[in-house]
């Protein structure tokens, strides 16, 4: 498409302007006399803008003006006062004038090619595209083949390429002369291949490349194992860059050898400056694409597009936090200037890297703050009554008083419920801290105010348990609870659903099927979501999509380290129950290996004899559920027949029918079963206070969060409880040379650290921090389930301080400009929406 000369409007834009100008002018005419009659102005303008934007690509300035225009109208009819509407119309007129007169467009990046079929002719279309839409295949030097390779690395656009950051660096600023090398050192050498041979080792058919390198000062033998693809590189006459460890060669000290860890062919002099004689970035590679190629590509992109990198951080934020401009930050992250501290670079703490990390975190925090704000701006239809007599009756029914922590937290929830805004609160408290009771208070308050409540839990077992426990209390208050689970396809279910829809049932307890399936409420006022980490963050959206304006209380025992809480739950208000109900004793935790099984069993026997009960938990060992089930069944048999013949043993696993599960749980709760052998179905929530022993088989296969949850099943009474971790790997070698262990051993060492953490501490929050430390945030249990962002530069564990700063900066900025309407925040807003709109359900943020 030919470029439009400055000041001549592209035809479609002209038509668009005519279409929207008319109604807007009409609205303004006669001192806004017609404003009231234009019920559809908002949707109309907004739809027109979207059409215009999809129809063709405009310059960035025009696009952002169009978006601004749309923003003025998105919520035009939603609660704006007439004055505000007039103000918007004024702004719209200004914008329209600006669009009419047009501002000079940016020069396109390519001159138009004479031959319309040529490769460059295609790129002209891309000329005015921003980098995040600029396909990498149109960048210089990237053909179709490279496009595919890059796609494999997750790079589709120029922006994505520029944000593909080095994962480490090598200091090649000092190049050693071969004559100065000494055995034992790791060095960088640059020389020409004098001889090269490639063989296969006899034993393992391993490819071995050998060569002799000459740098004018001497000769060096080099060996590469198992890198057959380097054959093309290591050819007589090519110049190489080599990094590796120097060892004594076959003939001893006189002929040194290098075990090469990194090898690159270097060509012309100009290129050399990229790959050598400096601190060099190392990227993730894939077959057919190596760091060297990436370096060249990034260099080209930076030269060609660096100036077009959009600066999303507002100038004031950058000034305040002393952040480099984006272009410089990218430049210095890819190609650190001479003298940059290598230690900082490797830790990701150089000035440039921190700048990029800050940007990522700042965008996230801005998005979260906006979401938080939006929720707060919503109005709910119901007002809950904090003085409902039902609450008093509830406290009289309970055998205990709420602890002060429970009282405080319920107070916070009450305040939310009374307010005119929807509640969006996270309640965290360690396992056994009594979250359920707090939820029951909220539920009773909702019902006492004439609303229905939903109590959602992750498993059917838990739903049934809550139902059984809460039914008597709720019924005593004159409320009717019903159980709704996916598994109940019976007449009873249909009846239950009918009562919910009719409003004759007040509390629905069930799995998340409750809000996902055919369930309809007459008047849902409160949704409590237990063990939130099993669900994901977007429950509110589901509720809203179903047309409910309900208050939401999510509860979790999964301890979330502070940094992550701010990320994951950054838009929720958080209440924490710190401390357990009175009289609890910390669970004693021991680690046993197979040789000490007898001792562990003695503890179990002693407890059972004292009429306590025990859980035995078996992990998912194999991929197949069937195989696991078999293992659990066999283990249960062994318990019954060989190890604890005098006690009654029950079995619980995921494949049982719900009714049967229910029966087993009831029997265990009633004390008719002494030992409950189970797969991890009992992981969360189950509450049988008389159980005092938790035996976890193959404990090394569980993550910390799971272990802690399982341990939380005991210690729920005044009796001393025990958690016995069984693991055959306890005697394993500890990692001595971190990073050098074979994968399997590393795994074992990490498992061992987890188990040690369990033995050391009962505090869920401390263990979560520990877990995060051991595994790093990428692997941390919650992240995947939450669908949490993977950052390119930021690292939640390392950058806790940056996250804090970003959060504060984002709040301050939104305090000033809540809708990011100011022109200096336009880029920020666009960048933030691009990154987070879909993920965080920002919907029609305007
Ligand atoms: P969690 O926070 O893990 O969901 P639960 O709600 O299951 O914990 O509560 C654990 C146990 O503590 C339950 O048996 C419950 O009845 C009991 N409990 C809750 N609150 C109190 C309290 N204030 N005083 C004594 N026991 C309590
Ligand atoms: Mg619970």
């Amino acid at each position: 498409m030919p470029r439009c000369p400055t000041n001549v409007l592209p035809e479609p834009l002209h038509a668009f302007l005519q279409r929207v100008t008319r109604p807007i002018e009409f609205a303004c005419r006669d001192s806004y006399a017609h404003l009231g009659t234009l019920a559809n102005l908002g949707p109309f303008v907004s739809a027109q803008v979207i059409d215009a934007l999809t129809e063709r690509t405009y310059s960035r300035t025009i696009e952002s003006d169009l978006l601004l225009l749309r923003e003025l109208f998105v919520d035009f009819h939603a609660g704006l006062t007439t004055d505000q509407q007039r103000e918007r119309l004024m702004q719209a007129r200004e914008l329209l004038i600006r669009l009419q007169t047009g501002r000079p467009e940016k020069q396109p990046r390519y001159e138009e090619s004479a031959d319309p079929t040529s490769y460059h002719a295609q790129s002209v279309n891309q000329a005015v595209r921003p980098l995040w839409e600029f396909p990498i295949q149109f960048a210089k030097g990237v053909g179709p083949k490279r496009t595919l390779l890059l796609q494999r690395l997750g790079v589709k656009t120029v922006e994505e390429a520029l944000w593909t950051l080095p994962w480490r660096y090598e200091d090649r600023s000092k190049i050693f002369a071969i004559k100065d090398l000494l055995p034992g050192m790791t060095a960088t050498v640059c020389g020409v291949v004098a001889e090269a041979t490639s063989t296969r080792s006899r034993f393992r058919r391993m490819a071995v490349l050998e060569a002799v390198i000459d740098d004018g000062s001497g000769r060096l033998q080099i060996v590469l194992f198992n890198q057959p693809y380097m054959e093309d590189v290591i050819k007589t006459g090519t110049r190489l860059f080599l990094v590796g460890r120097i060892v004594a060669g076959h003939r001893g000290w006189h002929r040194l050898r290098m075990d090469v860890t990194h090898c690159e062919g270097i060509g012309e002099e100009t290129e050399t400056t990229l790959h050598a004689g400096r601190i060099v970035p190392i990227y993730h590679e894939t077959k057919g694409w190596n760091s060297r190629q990436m370096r060249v590509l990034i260099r080209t992109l930076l030269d060609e597009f660096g100036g077009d990198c959009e600066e999303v951080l507002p100038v004031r934020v950058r000034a305040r936090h002393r952040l480099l401009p984006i272009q410089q930050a990218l430049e210095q992250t890819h190609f650190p200037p001479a003298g940059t501290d290598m230690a900082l670079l490797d830790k990701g703490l150089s000035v440039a890297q921190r700048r990029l990390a800050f940007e990522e975190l700042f965008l996230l925090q801005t998005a979260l703050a906006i979401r938080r704000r939006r929720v707060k701006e919503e109005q709910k239809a119901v007002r809950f009554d904090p003085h409902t007599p039902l609450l008093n009756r509830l406290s009289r029914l309970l055998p205990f008083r709420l602890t002060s922590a429970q009282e405080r937290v319920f107070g916070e929830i009450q305040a939310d419920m009374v307010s005119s805004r929807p509640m969006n609160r996270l309640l965290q408290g360690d396992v056994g801290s009594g979250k359920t009771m707090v939820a029951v208070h909220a539920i009773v308050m909702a019902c006492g105010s004439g609303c229905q409540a939903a109590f959602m839990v992750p498993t059917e077992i838990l739903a049934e348990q809550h139902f059984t426990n809460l039914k008597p209390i709720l019924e005593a208050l004159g409320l009717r609870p019903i159980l709704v689970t996916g598994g109940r396809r019976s007449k009873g279910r249909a009846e239950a659903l009918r009562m919910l829809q009719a409003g004759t049932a007040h509390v629905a307890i069930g799995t998340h099927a409750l809000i996902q399936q055919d369930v309809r409420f007459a008047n849902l006022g409160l949704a409590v979501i237990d063990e939130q980490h099993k669900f994901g963050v977007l429950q509110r959206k589901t509720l809203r999509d179903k047309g409910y304006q309900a208050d939401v209380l999510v509860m979790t025992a999964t301890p979330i380290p502070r940094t992550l809480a701010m990320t994951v739950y950054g838009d929720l208000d958080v209440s924490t129950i710190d401390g357990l109900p009175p009289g609890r004793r910390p669970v004693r935790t021991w680690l046993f290996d197979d040789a000490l099984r007898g001792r562990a069993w003695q503890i179990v026997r002693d407890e059972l004899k004292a009429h306590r009960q025990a859980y035995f938990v078996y992990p998912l060992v194999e991929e197949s559920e069937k195989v696991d089930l078999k293992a659990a069944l066999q283990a249960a048999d062994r318990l019954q027949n060989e190890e604890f013949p005098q006690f009654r043993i029950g079995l619980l696993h995921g494949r049982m029918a719900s009714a049967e599960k229910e029966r087993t749980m009831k029997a265990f709760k009633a004390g008719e079963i002494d030992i409950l052998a189970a797969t991890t179905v009992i992981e969360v929530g189950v509450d049988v206070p008389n159980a005092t022993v938790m035996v976890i088989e193959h404990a090394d296969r569980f993550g910390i969060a799971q272990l802690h949850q399982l341990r939380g099943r005991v210690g729920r009474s005044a009796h001393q409880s025990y958690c016995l971790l069984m693991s055959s790997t306890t005697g394993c070698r500890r990692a001595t040379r971190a990073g050098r262990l074979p994968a399997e051993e590393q795994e074992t060492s990490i498992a061992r650290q987890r188990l040690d953490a369990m033995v050391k501490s009962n505090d869920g929050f401390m263990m979560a921090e520990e877990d995060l430390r051991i595994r790093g945030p990428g692997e941390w249990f919650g992240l995947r389930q939450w669908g949490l962002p993977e950052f390119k530069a930021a690292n939640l564990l390392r950058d806790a301080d940056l996250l804090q700063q970003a959060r504060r900066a984002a709040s301050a900025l939104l305090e000033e400009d809540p809708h990011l309407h100011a022109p200096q925040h336009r880029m920020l807003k666009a960048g933030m929406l691009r990154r987070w709109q879909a993920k965080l359900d920002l919907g029609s943020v305007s």
Side-chain angles (χ1 to χ4, degrees), residues 191-196 211-214 219-220 234-238 240:
V192 176
V193 180
E195 304 158 24
V212 175
I213 303 296
D214 192 326
R219 290 191 153 208
L220 176 70
I234 303 181
K235 282 197 180 128
T236 315
T238 38
L240 291 184

Side-chain angles (χ1 to χ4, degrees), residues 85-118:
Q85 286 185 335
R86 288 178 187 178
E87 174 63 31
R88 296 276 181 98
L89 286 169
M90 296 285 287
Q91 290 174 11
R93 281 168 110 178
E94 270 173 36
L95 262 177
L96 288 173
I97 292 169
R98 201 155 76 193
L99 281 162
Q100 284 285 3
T101 49
R103 285 172 298 193
E105 288 196 23
K106 255 191 108 156
Q107 286 297 314
R109 293 185 192 97
Y110 295 95
E111 282 314 312
E112 211 172 324
S113 158
D115 174 9
T117 57
S118 83

